Amino acid sequence: MTPVQELPVIFKSQGHQIMGVHHTSGQQRSLLLCHGLTGDKVEDHRLFVHTARAFSEENYDVLRYDFYGSGDSEGDFRQTRLSHNIDNIRDAVSFLRNIKYKQIAVLGMSLGAAAAILCANELPIDALILWSPVTDTRKLLTERMHVDPETTIENRIISFDHWELEADFVPDVLKYDIKSAFSELNLSTFVAQGMQDAPMFVQGFHALRQIAKPPCDFMELPQAIHTFSIPRHRHQVIRQSLIWLDRQLTKG
């Protein structure tokens, strides 16, 4: 078996430099990892590192990368926009297609999952995995970020979890209807949710279940929180996602 290399990579998205790590042993199928709002290509408790290495051991090449304004990529976190994340996913998939992968799956976490939902139907991908997806942008603002979309934001800056965002994040995120986009998906999809997550995520999980078109599978982790930070939950969500994806994609 060819050893897996973990190589730093750079690709361009909308003219900006995007940094990533490519876990590769020359496989024919690839997985793209898209992080959450305040995450990066490592994610909480190195979730994406563990994920990439687990999938690499099972004959996948994996690309994990930082959205524009996050991690090592160009830009400042203040400039984060959901629309930028969507552009980055499109360009990351193009980057993988140019490497000539025969099959590509996308795994999105939280707001990264929302971005993946919003552009999945237009992408040349074969499967979609969603972990703890944001499903309602207004609830994201009001319940998680404590931002009233109808109120003028002082100094044009939002403070969230000790991060600062430009106020233009608000109208940008509100223009997207994630549940509507999910209801129109036409590819194999797997949704995993920790049931001890914040109510908006658990409620969103149940809402997606009601509107999903087949083929779509759902997994509840009764004791898990948003980022599956307890080791046994992390191992479980990675393993079950891997088993599911193996059923969707051919080995080559």
Side-chain angles (χ1 to χ4, degrees), residues 31-90:
L31 177 67
L32 179 69
L33 303 184
C34 306
H35 64 78
L37 176 58
T38 59
D40 55 32
K41 63 183 175 293
V42 175
E43 263 297 351
D44 185 46
H45 288 77
R46 304 188 85 210
L47 174 63
F48 273 9
V49 178
H50 294 297
T51 302
R53 289 175 178 171
F55 275 79
S56 295
E57 289 175 359
E58 299 296 333
N59 302 312
Y60 288 88
D61 281 4
V62 182
L63 175 63
R64 52 187 177 90
Y65 70 104
D66 299 319
F67 284 129
Y68 174 74
S70 295
D72 295 314
S73 288
E74 186 178 338
D76 188 89
F77 185 79
R78 285 187 175 204
Q79 301 167 300
T80 295
R81 304 285 188 276
L82 182 53
S83 57
H84 293 168
N85 294 356
I86 292 168
D87 288 337
N88 293 166
I89 293 174
R90 291 183 182 125

Side-chain angles (χ1 to χ4, degrees), residues 78-150:
R78 285 187 175 204
Q79 301 167 300
T80 295
R81 304 285 188 276
L82 182 53
S83 57
H84 293 168
N85 294 356
I86 292 168
D87 288 337
N88 293 166
I89 293 174
R90 291 183 182 125
D91 293 326
V93 170
S94 294
F95 174 80
L96 292 174
R97 280 294 172 197
N98 288 336
I99 302 176
K100 307 300 183 185
Y101 286 108
K102 291 183 177 179
Q103 296 176 303
I104 298 173
V106 172
L107 187 160
M109 176 83 197
S110 195
L111 195 63
I117 291 169
L118 290 163
C119 62
N121 264 348
E122 66 187 66
L123 297 176
I125 62 173
D126 302 281
L128 181 64
I129 298 173
L130 307 170
W131 289 353
S132 310
V134 171
T135 61
D136 188 316
T137 58
R138 188 166 290 271
K139 284 187 176 181
L140 172 68
L141 292 170
T142 59
E143 296 184 17
R144 297 296 291 167
M145 303 179 72
H146 305 294
V147 172
D148 182 352
E150 314 306 328

